[in-house]
Amino acid sequence: MTTTSDRPSEALTQVSKRVSQSVFDGSRLRVVLLVDVYDGAQQQFLEAYEQLCNQVASVPGHVSDQLCQSIENPSQWLITSEWESAPPFLTWVNSEEHVQMVEPLHSCVRDTRSLRFHIVRETGGAAGRQEVGQRRLQAHPRIGDGLIRHALTFTVRPGTEEKVAKILAEYASPEARVDDTTRLCRTSLFMHGNRVVRAIEVRGDLLAALRHVSRQPEVRAVEAAINPYLEQDRDLDDQESARMFFTRAALPAVHHVSAEGAPEGRRLALFYPARQDRGMRLAELLAQADSAAAEDPASPVLRSTVFQRDDVVVRLVDVRDERDAVPEVPAGLRELLDGEAARMDLITDRRSPEV
């Protein structure tokens, strides 16, 4: 298993105010997993955790973990872990190895929620101050735009691309309002060959938005319509089958940058097939290039989000004009590619009306 460079690149060490999201600043990562265990399943949960704990201890970049039980509700548990930086954690958590590793937990867990944080400040007693001073902390708090970005990707059977594109282009939009604090803001769908990428922008709680979307009749209808064409079988009426599909389909955002005062632009997506185990490094180089572009007033790039999972890397870019040239592949990146970078076909790009 490979990770990004041990030493963060100079371009990303000092976080720009234009960068609202990045996993590449080299600082320590704290992962928090909130778990609700079925009544009577605590012993089964503990045994599954011990097995998982022994396996994760050998994963590169892992530092430590803790298991905590609520003093008020014995079904509520908290798992925290610390990692040298975000890239090795993401490389592990998005791997098929991790999918198989955590499977024993699902039969005894009612609900989970995973939160990931870069460590910005840290205090300790006199004995620990020297160690704390040597740890890498996030240099500056990032200033976001209030949006959370996430994507899903999956493949369809070759020869069915036109049918799938038509289904995805014509579905009715779901209700944008999730609750008083969460709403769907934008959904962009792209295809390249038989690969589909669906990127969403959410204001508020991403998990609540994803659950909301999965329950909407418009979305359930389109998911059922494309079901026969998927390369990976799934049964949306089977909770475990659906969970496994969407776990493998998740394409997390690892970097987002916006030019200062950037207006609305034209949206395009670029697909980068990475060589085996080189996806994270490829995403890091794209992040560097986009951070530099945001500082250049002459650049056509207004904002950019890099999504990465395993060897799939997608760059969602808003440019000033659709006639602008597709951004060049940065130097040093071609050797990481397993094929040519390609502009994806836009299927639909929908904004929710403001209320």
PDB file of all heavy atoms in Angstrom, residues 189-225:
ATOM      1  N   LEU A 189     -23.962  15.408 -13.173  1.00  0.00           N
ATOM      2  CA  LEU A 189     -23.774  14.027 -13.618  1.00  0.00           C
ATOM      3  C   LEU A 189     -22.943  14.003 -14.887  1.00  0.00           C
ATOM      4  O   LEU A 189     -23.227  14.714 -15.851  1.00  0.00           O
ATOM      5  CB  LEU A 189     -25.133  13.372 -13.884  1.00  0.00           C
ATOM      6  CG  LEU A 189     -25.756  12.605 -12.723  1.00  0.00           C
ATOM      7  CD1 LEU A 189     -27.248  12.453 -12.920  1.00  0.00           C
ATOM      8  CD2 LEU A 189     -25.118  11.231 -12.620  1.00  0.00           C
ATOM      9  N   PHE A 190     -21.903  13.165 -14.877  1.00  0.00           N
ATOM     10  CA  PHE A 190     -21.007  13.036 -16.019  1.00  0.00           C
ATOM     11  C   PHE A 190     -20.799  11.563 -16.342  1.00  0.00           C
ATOM     12  O   PHE A 190     -20.924  10.694 -15.471  1.00  0.00           O
ATOM     13  CB  PHE A 190     -19.649  13.681 -15.721  1.00  0.00           C
ATOM     14  CG  PHE A 190     -19.685  15.177 -15.535  1.00  0.00           C
ATOM     15  CD1 PHE A 190     -19.957  15.732 -14.291  1.00  0.00           C
ATOM     16  CD2 PHE A 190     -19.444  16.022 -16.607  1.00  0.00           C
ATOM     17  CE1 PHE A 190     -19.985  17.103 -14.117  1.00  0.00           C
ATOM     18  CE2 PHE A 190     -19.463  17.401 -16.439  1.00  0.00           C
ATOM     19  CZ  PHE A 190     -19.734  17.939 -15.193  1.00  0.00           C
ATOM     20  N   MET A 191     -20.428  11.291 -17.595  1.00  0.00           N
ATOM     21  CA  MET A 191     -20.052   9.940 -17.990  1.00  0.00           C
ATOM     22  C   MET A 191     -18.818   9.993 -18.877  1.00  0.00           C
ATOM     23  O   MET A 191     -18.622  10.944 -19.638  1.00  0.00           O
ATOM     24  CB  MET A 191     -21.189   9.244 -18.740  1.00  0.00           C
ATOM     25  CG  MET A 191     -22.381   8.882 -17.891  1.00  0.00           C
ATOM     26  SD  MET A 191     -23.668   7.936 -18.788  1.00  0.00           S
ATOM     27  CE  MET A 191     -22.798   6.365 -19.045  1.00  0.00           C
ATOM     28  N   HIS A 192     -18.004   8.957 -18.758  1.00  0.00           N
ATOM     29  CA  HIS A 192     -16.884   8.740 -19.676  1.00  0.00           C
ATOM     30  C   HIS A 192     -16.816   7.249 -19.930  1.00  0.00           C
ATOM     31  O   HIS A 192     -16.561   6.463 -19.003  1.00  0.00           O
ATOM     32  CB  HIS A 192     -15.564   9.246 -19.105  1.00  0.00           C
ATOM     33  CG  HIS A 192     -14.374   8.888 -19.961  1.00  0.00           C
ATOM     34  ND1 HIS A 192     -14.218   9.371 -21.238  1.00  0.00           N
ATOM     35  CD2 HIS A 192     -13.313   8.078 -19.722  1.00  0.00           C
ATOM     36  CE1 HIS A 192     -13.108   8.880 -21.756  1.00  0.00           C
ATOM     37  NE2 HIS A 192     -12.543   8.088 -20.857  1.00  0.00           N
ATOM     38  N   GLY A 193     -17.040   6.841 -21.172  1.00  0.00           N
ATOM     39  CA  GLY A 193     -17.144   5.419 -21.447  1.00  0.00           C
ATOM     40  C   GLY A 193     -18.295   4.859 -20.636  1.00  0.00           C
ATOM     41  O   GLY A 193     -19.408   5.396 -20.646  1.00  0.00           O
ATOM     42  N   ASN A 194     -18.029   3.807 -19.887  1.00  0.00           N
ATOM     43  CA  ASN A 194     -19.100   3.214 -19.083  1.00  0.00           C
ATOM     44  C   ASN A 194     -19.047   3.631 -17.617  1.00  0.00           C
ATOM     45  O   ASN A 194     -19.707   3.032 -16.781  1.00  0.00           O
ATOM     46  CB  ASN A 194     -19.053   1.681 -19.183  1.00  0.00           C
ATOM     47  CG  ASN A 194     -17.837   1.088 -18.482  1.00  0.00           C
ATOM     48  OD1 ASN A 194     -16.791   1.728 -18.378  1.00  0.00           O
ATOM     49  ND2 ASN A 194     -17.964  -0.143 -18.002  1.00  0.00           N
ATOM     50  N   ARG A 195     -18.260   4.668 -17.309  1.00  0.00           N
ATOM     51  CA  ARG A 195     -18.165   5.154 -15.922  1.00  0.00           C
ATOM     52  C   ARG A 195     -19.075   6.360 -15.721  1.00  0.00           C
ATOM     53  O   ARG A 195     -19.073   7.306 -16.502  1.00  0.00           O
ATOM     54  CB  ARG A 195     -16.734   5.525 -15.562  1.00  0.00           C
ATOM     55  CG  ARG A 195     -16.617   6.064 -14.113  1.00  0.00           C
ATOM     56  CD  ARG A 195     -15.192   6.185 -13.655  1.00  0.00           C
ATOM     57  NE  ARG A 195     -14.558   4.869 -13.553  1.00  0.00           N
ATOM     58  CZ  ARG A 195     -14.733   4.045 -12.522  1.00  0.00           C
ATOM     59  NH1 ARG A 195     -15.518   4.382 -11.509  1.00  0.00           N
ATOM     60  NH2 ARG A 195     -14.109   2.880 -12.507  1.00  0.00           N
ATOM     61  N   VAL A 196     -19.843   6.320 -14.633  1.00  0.00           N
ATOM     62  CA  VAL A 196     -20.741   7.405 -14.240  1.00  0.00           C
ATOM     63  C   VAL A 196     -20.178   8.090 -13.002  1.00  0.00           C
ATOM     64  O   VAL A 196     -19.695   7.421 -12.078  1.00  0.00           O
ATOM     65  CB  VAL A 196     -22.154   6.867 -13.926  1.00  0.00           C
ATOM     66  CG1 VAL A 196     -23.076   7.995 -13.470  1.00  0.00           C
ATOM     67  CG2 VAL A 196     -22.745   6.146 -15.140  1.00  0.00           C
ATOM     68  N   VAL A 197     -20.217   9.413 -12.970  1.00  0.00           N
ATOM     69  CA  VAL A 197     -19.833  10.190 -11.792  1.00  0.00           C
ATOM     70  C   VAL A 197     -20.970  11.151 -11.472  1.00  0.00           C
ATOM     71  O   VAL A 197     -21.395  11.922 -12.335  1.00  0.00           O
ATOM     72  CB  VAL A 197     -18.525  10.975 -12.016  1.00  0.00           C
ATOM     73  CG1 VAL A 197     -18.264  11.926 -10.842  1.00  0.00           C
ATOM     74  CG2 VAL A 197     -17.351  10.019 -12.179  1.00  0.00           C
ATOM     75  N   ARG A 198     -21.461  11.069 -10.233  1.00  0.00           N
ATOM     76  CA  ARG A 198     -22.510  11.973  -9.769  1.00  0.00           C
ATOM     77  C   ARG A 198     -21.944  12.789  -8.623  1.00  0.00           C
ATOM     78  O   ARG A 198     -21.629  12.247  -7.556  1.00  0.00           O
ATOM     79  CB  ARG A 198     -23.740  11.188  -9.309  1.00  0.00           C
ATOM     80  CG  ARG A 198     -24.859  12.056  -8.732  1.00  0.00           C
ATOM     81  CD  ARG A 198     -25.925  11.197  -8.046  1.00  0.00           C
ATOM     82  NE  ARG A 198     -26.613  10.366  -9.011  1.00  0.00           N
ATOM     83  CZ  ARG A 198     -27.161   9.193  -8.715  1.00  0.00           C
ATOM     84  NH1 ARG A 198     -27.047   8.690  -7.494  1.00  0.00           N
ATOM     85  NH2 ARG A 198     -27.807   8.502  -9.634  1.00  0.00           N
ATOM     86  N   ALA A 199     -21.782  14.087  -8.836  1.00  0.00           N
ATOM     87  CA  ALA A 199     -21.233  14.982  -7.806  1.00  0.00           C
ATOM     88  C   ALA A 199     -22.352  15.833  -7.239  1.00  0.00           C
ATOM     89  O   ALA A 199     -23.187  16.360  -7.978  1.00  0.00           O
ATOM     90  CB  ALA A 199     -20.146  15.868  -8.407  1.00  0.00           C
ATOM     91  N   ILE A 200     -22.381  15.953  -5.903  1.00  0.00           N
ATOM     92  CA  ILE A 200     -23.411  16.764  -5.264  1.00  0.00           C
ATOM     93  C   ILE A 200     -22.771  17.811  -4.362  1.00  0.00           C
ATOM     94  O   ILE A 200     -21.665  17.636  -3.863  1.00  0.00           O
ATOM     95  CB  ILE A 200     -24.390  15.902  -4.441  1.00  0.00           C
ATOM     96  CG1 ILE A 200     -23.679  15.221  -3.267  1.00  0.00           C
ATOM     97  CG2 ILE A 200     -25.089  14.876  -5.313  1.00  0.00           C
ATOM     98  CD1 ILE A 200     -24.640  14.556  -2.288  1.00  0.00           C
ATOM     99  N   GLU A 201     -23.494  18.913  -4.194  1.00  0.00           N
ATOM    100  CA  GLU A 201     -23.108  19.960  -3.260  1.00  0.00           C
ATOM    101  C   GLU A 201     -24.236  20.135  -2.265  1.00  0.00           C
ATOM    102  O   GLU A 201     -25.407  20.278  -2.656  1.00  0.00           O
ATOM    103  CB  GLU A 201     -22.820  21.265  -3.997  1.00  0.00           C
ATOM    104  CG  GLU A 201     -21.606  21.169  -4.916  1.00  0.00           C
ATOM    105  CD  GLU A 201     -21.374  22.441  -5.718  1.00  0.00           C
ATOM    106  OE1 GLU A 201     -22.181  23.389  -5.579  1.00  0.00           O
ATOM    107  OE2 GLU A 201     -20.385  22.491  -6.481  1.00  0.00           O
ATOM    108  N   VAL A 202     -23.907  20.111  -0.989  1.00  0.00           N
ATOM    109  CA  VAL A 202     -24.890  20.147   0.093  1.00  0.00           C
ATOM    110  C   VAL A 202     -24.543  21.276   1.045  1.00  0.00           C
ATOM    111  O   VAL A 202     -23.372  21.477   1.383  1.00  0.00           O
ATOM    112  CB  VAL A 202     -24.909  18.802   0.852  1.00  0.00           C
ATOM    113  CG1 VAL A 202     -25.795  18.886   2.087  1.00  0.00           C
ATOM    114  CG2 VAL A 202     -25.355  17.674  -0.066  1.00  0.00           C
ATOM    115  N   ARG A 203     -25.559  21.989   1.486  1.00  0.00           N
ATOM    116  CA  ARG A 203     -25.364  22.960   2.562  1.00  0.00           C
ATOM    117  C   ARG A 203     -25.997  22.385   3.830  1.00  0.00           C
ATOM    118  O   ARG A 203     -27.202  22.129   3.855  1.00  0.00           O
ATOM    119  CB  ARG A 203     -26.029  24.299   2.202  1.00  0.00           C
ATOM    120  CG  ARG A 203     -25.625  25.452   3.127  1.00  0.00           C
ATOM    121  CD  ARG A 203     -26.246  26.761   2.669  1.00  0.00           C
ATOM    122  NE  ARG A 203     -25.833  27.127   1.335  1.00  0.00           N
ATOM    123  CZ  ARG A 203     -24.682  27.733   1.024  1.00  0.00           C
ATOM    124  NH1 ARG A 203     -23.824  28.018   1.988  1.00  0.00           N
ATOM    125  NH2 ARG A 203     -24.383  28.035  -0.219  1.00  0.00           N
ATOM    126  N   GLY A 204     -25.155  22.108   4.824  1.00  0.00           N
ATOM    127  CA  GLY A 204     -25.662  21.520   6.054  1.00  0.00           C
ATOM    128  C   GLY A 204     -25.034  20.177   6.345  1.00  0.00           C
ATOM    129  O   GLY A 204     -23.808  20.043   6.318  1.00  0.00           O
ATOM    130  N   ASP A 205     -25.833  19.150   6.577  1.00  0.00           N
ATOM    131  CA  ASP A 205     -25.397  17.830   7.023  1.00  0.00           C
ATOM    132  C   ASP A 205     -25.381  16.883   5.824  1.00  0.00           C
ATOM    133  O   ASP A 205     -26.436  16.525   5.292  1.00  0.00           O
ATOM    134  CB  ASP A 205     -26.345  17.321   8.107  1.00  0.00           C
ATOM    135  CG  ASP A 205     -25.885  16.018   8.749  1.00  0.00           C
ATOM    136  OD1 ASP A 205     -25.235  15.209   8.053  1.00  0.00           O
ATOM    137  OD2 ASP A 205     -26.183  15.805   9.936  1.00  0.00           O
ATOM    138  N   LEU A 206     -24.196  16.452   5.403  1.00  0.00           N
ATOM    139  CA  LEU A 206     -24.077  15.579   4.234  1.00  0.00           C
ATOM    140  C   LEU A 206     -24.795  14.255   4.447  1.00  0.00           C
ATOM    141  O   LEU A 206     -25.521  13.780   3.569  1.00  0.00           O
ATOM    142  CB  LEU A 206     -22.602  15.326   3.904  1.00  0.00           C
ATOM    143  CG  LEU A 206     -22.332  14.326   2.772  1.00  0.00           C
ATOM    144  CD1 LEU A 206     -22.889  14.825   1.453  1.00  0.00           C
ATOM    145  CD2 LEU A 206     -20.831  14.047   2.649  1.00  0.00           C
ATOM    146  N   LEU A 207     -24.609  13.632   5.619  1.00  0.00           N
ATOM    147  CA  LEU A 207     -25.223  12.336   5.871  1.00  0.00           C
ATOM    148  C   LEU A 207     -26.743  12.439   5.825  1.00  0.00           C
ATOM    149  O   LEU A 207     -27.422  11.581   5.239  1.00  0.00           O
ATOM    150  CB  LEU A 207     -24.763  11.786   7.219  1.00  0.00           C
ATOM    151  CG  LEU A 207     -25.256  10.379   7.585  1.00  0.00           C
ATOM    152  CD1 LEU A 207     -24.810   9.373   6.528  1.00  0.00           C
ATOM    153  CD2 LEU A 207     -24.737   9.974   8.958  1.00  0.00           C
ATOM    154  N   ALA A 208     -27.292  13.491   6.427  1.00  0.00           N
ATOM    155  CA  ALA A 208     -28.739  13.689   6.391  1.00  0.00           C
ATOM    156  C   ALA A 208     -29.221  13.877   4.954  1.00  0.00           C
ATOM    157  O   ALA A 208     -30.286  13.369   4.567  1.00  0.00           O
ATOM    158  CB  ALA A 208     -29.133  14.898   7.238  1.00  0.00           C
ATOM    159  N   ALA A 209     -28.439  14.598   4.149  1.00  0.00           N
ATOM    160  CA  ALA A 209     -28.814  14.828   2.746  1.00  0.00           C
ATOM    161  C   ALA A 209     -28.803  13.525   1.953  1.00  0.00           C
ATOM    162  O   ALA A 209     -29.704  13.266   1.142  1.00  0.00           O
ATOM    163  CB  ALA A 209     -27.870  15.843   2.118  1.00  0.00           C
ATOM    164  N   LEU A 210     -27.779  12.685   2.175  1.00  0.00           N
ATOM    165  CA  LEU A 210     -27.692  11.418   1.445  1.00  0.00           C
ATOM    166  C   LEU A 210     -28.852  10.499   1.813  1.00  0.00           C
ATOM    167  O   LEU A 210     -29.428   9.825   0.947  1.00  0.00           O
ATOM    168  CB  LEU A 210     -26.347  10.742   1.732  1.00  0.00           C
ATOM    169  CG  LEU A 210     -25.104  11.457   1.201  1.00  0.00           C
ATOM    170  CD1 LEU A 210     -23.835  10.739   1.643  1.00  0.00           C
ATOM    171  CD2 LEU A 210     -25.144  11.560  -0.325  1.00  0.00           C
ATOM    172  N   ARG A 211     -29.200  10.470   3.086  1.00  0.00           N
ATOM    173  CA  ARG A 211     -30.332   9.649   3.508  1.00  0.00           C
ATOM    174  C   ARG A 211     -31.631  10.187   2.930  1.00  0.00           C
ATOM    175  O   ARG A 211     -32.513   9.431   2.522  1.00  0.00           O
ATOM    176  CB  ARG A 211     -30.387   9.599   5.038  1.00  0.00           C
ATOM    177  CG  ARG A 211     -29.285   8.748   5.657  1.00  0.00           C
ATOM    178  CD  ARG A 211     -29.287   8.832   7.170  1.00  0.00           C
ATOM    179  NE  ARG A 211     -28.355   7.866   7.747  1.00  0.00           N
ATOM    180  CZ  ARG A 211     -27.999   7.850   9.021  1.00  0.00           C
ATOM    181  NH1 ARG A 211     -28.482   8.771   9.853  1.00  0.00           N
ATOM    182  NH2 ARG A 211     -27.155   6.941   9.468  1.00  0.00           N
ATOM    183  N   HIS A 212     -31.769  11.498   2.911  1.00  0.00           N
ATOM    184  CA  HIS A 212     -32.951  12.137   2.340  1.00  0.00           C
ATOM    185  C   HIS A 212     -33.108  11.769   0.866  1.00  0.00           C
ATOM    186  O   HIS A 212     -34.190  11.369   0.426  1.00  0.00           O
ATOM    187  CB  HIS A 212     -32.833  13.655   2.512  1.00  0.00           C
ATOM    188  CG  HIS A 212     -33.780  14.451   1.682  1.00  0.00           C
ATOM    189  ND1 HIS A 212     -35.090  14.671   2.044  1.00  0.00           N
ATOM    190  CD2 HIS A 212     -33.599  15.087   0.484  1.00  0.00           C
ATOM    191  CE1 HIS A 212     -35.683  15.407   1.119  1.00  0.00           C
ATOM    192  NE2 HIS A 212     -34.804  15.674   0.177  1.00  0.00           N
ATOM    193  N   VAL A 213     -32.009  11.883   0.116  1.00  0.00           N
ATOM    194  CA  VAL A 213     -32.062  11.586  -1.318  1.00  0.00           C
ATOM    195  C   VAL A 213     -32.443  10.130  -1.557  1.00  0.00           C
ATOM    196  O   VAL A 213     -33.238   9.815  -2.449  1.00  0.00           O
ATOM    197  CB  VAL A 213     -30.695  11.900  -1.971  1.00  0.00           C
ATOM    198  CG1 VAL A 213     -30.618  11.333  -3.386  1.00  0.00           C
ATOM    199  CG2 VAL A 213     -30.466  13.408  -2.002  1.00  0.00           C
ATOM    200  N   SER A 214     -31.884   9.228  -0.750  1.00  0.00           N
ATOM    201  CA  SER A 214     -32.145   7.804  -0.970  1.00  0.00           C
ATOM    202  C   SER A 214     -33.609   7.435  -0.761  1.00  0.00           C
ATOM    203  O   SER A 214     -34.070   6.409  -1.268  1.00  0.00           O
ATOM    204  CB  SER A 214     -31.266   6.967  -0.027  1.00  0.00           C
ATOM    205  OG  SER A 214     -31.683   7.111   1.327  1.00  0.00           O
ATOM    206  N   ARG A 215     -34.352   8.281  -0.021  1.00  0.00           N
ATOM    207  CA  ARG A 215     -35.762   7.998   0.242  1.00  0.00           C
ATOM    208  C   ARG A 215     -36.715   8.652  -0.749  1.00  0.00           C
ATOM    209  O   ARG A 215     -37.914   8.364  -0.747  1.00  0.00           O
ATOM    210  CB  ARG A 215     -36.126   8.445   1.667  1.00  0.00           C
ATOM    211  CG  ARG A 215     -35.431   7.665   2.766  1.00  0.00           C
ATOM    212  CD  ARG A 215     -36.067   7.970   4.118  1.00  0.00           C
ATOM    213  NE  ARG A 215     -35.846   9.362   4.498  1.00  0.00           N
ATOM    214  CZ  ARG A 215     -34.867   9.767   5.312  1.00  0.00           C
ATOM    215  NH1 ARG A 215     -34.008   8.882   5.796  1.00  0.00           N
ATOM    216  NH2 ARG A 215     -34.747  11.039   5.630  1.00  0.00           N
ATOM    217  N   GLN A 216     -36.191   9.554  -1.597  1.00  0.00           N
ATOM    218  CA  GLN A 216     -37.062  10.278  -2.514  1.00  0.00           C
ATOM    219  C   GLN A 216     -37.552   9.376  -3.648  1.00  0.00           C
ATOM    220  O   GLN A 216     -36.757   8.647  -4.248  1.00  0.00           O
ATOM    221  CB  GLN A 216     -36.340  11.488  -3.085  1.00  0.00           C
ATOM    222  CG  GLN A 216     -35.892  12.498  -2.050  1.00  0.00           C
ATOM    223  CD  GLN A 216     -37.022  12.940  -1.148  1.00  0.00           C
ATOM    224  OE1 GLN A 216     -38.006  13.533  -1.607  1.00  0.00           O
ATOM    225  NE2 GLN A 216     -36.901  12.637   0.144  1.00  0.00           N
ATOM    226  N   PRO A 217     -38.867   9.411  -3.948  1.00  0.00           N
ATOM    227  CA  PRO A 217     -39.395   8.528  -5.001  1.00  0.00           C
ATOM    228  C   PRO A 217     -38.764   8.771  -6.367  1.00  0.00           C
ATOM    229  O   PRO A 217     -38.589   7.833  -7.149  1.00  0.00           O
ATOM    230  CB  PRO A 217     -40.894   8.854  -5.001  1.00  0.00           C
ATOM    231  CG  PRO A 217     -41.034  10.167  -4.291  1.00  0.00           C
ATOM    232  CD  PRO A 217     -39.920  10.212  -3.306  1.00  0.00           C
ATOM    233  N   GLU A 218     -38.394  10.023  -6.663  1.00  0.00           N
ATOM    234  CA  GLU A 218     -37.782  10.316  -7.957  1.00  0.00           C
ATOM    235  C   GLU A 218     -36.432   9.612  -8.090  1.00  0.00           C
ATOM    236  O   GLU A 218     -36.093   9.062  -9.142  1.00  0.00           O
ATOM    237  CB  GLU A 218     -37.582  11.835  -8.133  1.00  0.00           C
ATOM    238  CG  GLU A 218     -38.853  12.659  -8.034  1.00  0.00           C
ATOM    239  CD  GLU A 218     -39.155  13.088  -6.598  1.00  0.00           C
ATOM    240  OE1 GLU A 218     -38.510  12.580  -5.655  1.00  0.00           O
ATOM    241  OE2 GLU A 218     -40.032  13.955  -6.433  1.00  0.00           O
ATOM    242  N   VAL A 219     -35.665   9.616  -6.999  1.00  0.00           N
ATOM    243  CA  VAL A 219     -34.353   8.985  -7.017  1.00  0.00           C
ATOM    244  C   VAL A 219     -34.486   7.467  -7.015  1.00  0.00           C
ATOM    245  O   VAL A 219     -33.766   6.764  -7.734  1.00  0.00           O
ATOM    246  CB  VAL A 219     -33.515   9.467  -5.815  1.00  0.00           C
ATOM    247  CG1 VAL A 219     -32.199   8.700  -5.733  1.00  0.00           C
ATOM    248  CG2 VAL A 219     -33.255  10.967  -5.915  1.00  0.00           C
ATOM    249  N   ARG A 220     -35.394   6.946  -6.212  1.00  0.00           N
ATOM    250  CA  ARG A 220     -35.595   5.501  -6.184  1.00  0.00           C
ATOM    251  C   ARG A 220     -36.021   4.976  -7.552  1.00  0.00           C
ATOM    252  O   ARG A 220     -35.625   3.880  -7.974  1.00  0.00           O
ATOM    253  CB  ARG A 220     -36.635   5.136  -5.120  1.00  0.00           C
ATOM    254  CG  ARG A 220     -36.157   5.417  -3.692  1.00  0.00           C
ATOM    255  CD  ARG A 220     -37.158   4.896  -2.668  1.00  0.00           C
ATOM    256  NE  ARG A 220     -37.191   3.439  -2.677  1.00  0.00           N
ATOM    257  CZ  ARG A 220     -36.357   2.671  -1.998  1.00  0.00           C
ATOM    258  NH1 ARG A 220     -35.384   3.224  -1.256  1.00  0.00           N
ATOM    259  NH2 ARG A 220     -36.467   1.363  -2.035  1.00  0.00           N
ATOM    260  N   ALA A 221     -36.808   5.763  -8.272  1.00  0.00           N
ATOM    261  CA  ALA A 221     -37.254   5.350  -9.605  1.00  0.00           C
ATOM    262  C   ALA A 221     -36.093   5.289 -10.585  1.00  0.00           C
ATOM    263  O   ALA A 221     -35.968   4.333 -11.370  1.00  0.00           O
ATOM    264  CB  ALA A 221     -38.336   6.309 -10.117  1.00  0.00           C
ATOM    265  N   VAL A 222     -35.217   6.296 -10.549  1.00  0.00           N
ATOM    266  CA  VAL A 222     -34.099   6.292 -11.496  1.00  0.00           C
ATOM    267  C   VAL A 222     -33.077   5.229 -11.120  1.00  0.00           C
ATOM    268  O   VAL A 222     -32.466   4.594 -11.993  1.00  0.00           O
ATOM    269  CB  VAL A 222     -33.449   7.689 -11.597  1.00  0.00           C
ATOM    270  CG1 VAL A 222     -32.596   8.018 -10.383  1.00  0.00           C
ATOM    271  CG2 VAL A 222     -32.607   7.813 -12.851  1.00  0.00           C
ATOM    272  N   GLU A 223     -32.887   4.987  -9.811  1.00  0.00           N
ATOM    273  CA  GLU A 223     -31.972   3.925  -9.388  1.00  0.00           C
ATOM    274  C   GLU A 223     -32.490   2.563  -9.848  1.00  0.00           C
ATOM    275  O   GLU A 223     -31.730   1.702 -10.298  1.00  0.00           O
ATOM    276  CB  GLU A 223     -31.807   3.942  -7.865  1.00  0.00           C
ATOM    277  CG  GLU A 223     -31.133   5.187  -7.305  1.00  0.00           C
ATOM    278  CD  GLU A 223     -29.640   5.241  -7.592  1.00  0.00           C
ATOM    279  OE1 GLU A 223     -29.113   4.312  -8.232  1.00  0.00           O
ATOM    280  OE2 GLU A 223     -29.003   6.234  -7.189  1.00  0.00           O
ATOM    281  N   ALA A 224     -33.798   2.359  -9.745  1.00  0.00           N
ATOM    282  CA  ALA A 224     -34.385   1.098 -10.199  1.00  0.00           C
ATOM    283  C   ALA A 224     -34.254   0.956 -11.715  1.00  0.00           C
ATOM    284  O   ALA A 224     -34.036  -0.147 -12.236  1.00  0.00           O
ATOM    285  CB  ALA A 224     -35.854   1.027  -9.782  1.00  0.00           C
ATOM    286  N   ALA A 225     -34.363   2.070 -12.432  1.00  0.00           N
ATOM    287  CA  ALA A 225     -34.297   2.025 -13.892  1.00  0.00           C
ATOM    288  C   ALA A 225     -32.900   1.658 -14.405  1.00  0.00           C
ATOM    289  O   ALA A 225     -32.771   0.971 -15.425  1.00  0.00           O
ATOM    290  CB  ALA A 225     -34.733   3.373 -14.467  1.00  0.00           C
TER     291      ALA A 225
END
